[in-house]
Amino acid sequence: MTACSYDVAYDPPLPVCEVTLTVALTGRQTTVDAIVDTGADATIVPVRLLRHIGARRVFQTTLRSQWGERRSVFLYLVDLTINEVLLPGVYVVGDEIGNEVVLGRNVLNKLVVTLDGPQQIVRIG
């Protein structure tokens, strides 16, 4: 299990960890910091990052925000690596607007996650 620091640029500080997104067919990948969000149903990745690694749209679906609004989105299929743990074939939502990668429960529920707020450390393994 590896420890990652909270990002103190946010108020309150935010748990983040480094993730690698890979397109299995081409091997193209990118490594980015991701927000650990236990309240998010899905993992969300900016479309510009998905295009950079050559990820393709798999299908269209609807996403509902925390305010209840519905929005049409595309899902992309990537392999996701966190702390040397490979999660193959993960569906991620392509975000046309935002710039942040958000790790949602579709990924976090496959891992042991410990949020240590007082120490500002997140452990993922």
Side-chain angles (χ1 to χ4, degrees), residues 53-94:
I53 61 173
R56 302 279 186 233
R57 293 176 176 171
V58 177
F59 60 89
Q60 190 171 7
T61 190
T62 303
L63 182 72
R64 186 176 51 87
S65 78
Q66 65 270 29
W67 292 284
E69 65 191 43
R70 294 192 180 276
R71 177 173 151 192
S72 182
V73 296
F74 287 98
L75 295 184
Y76 295 74
L77 190 63
V78 297
D79 293 345
L80 199 139
T81 305
I82 305 171
N83 298 337
E84 300 182 17
V85 175
L86 172 64
L87 301 172
V90 174
Y91 288 106
V92 299
V93 175

Side-chain angles (χ1 to χ4, degrees), residues 1-7 15-18 33 36 82-84 112-116 119-125:
M1 190 175 285
T2 303
C4 305
S5 297
Y6 277 39
D7 186 341
V16 296
C17 69
E18 188 176 88
D33 284 336
V36 177
I82 305 171
N83 298 337
E84 300 182 17
V112 175
V113 179
T114 304
L115 299 176
D116 184 343
Q119 296 298 315
Q120 297 188 352
I121 294 173
V122 59
R123 291 178 184 84
I124 298 179

Side-chain angles (χ1 to χ4, degrees), residues 6-15 120:
Y6 277 39
D7 186 341
V8 296
Y10 291 86
D11 185 23
L14 187 65
Q120 297 188 352

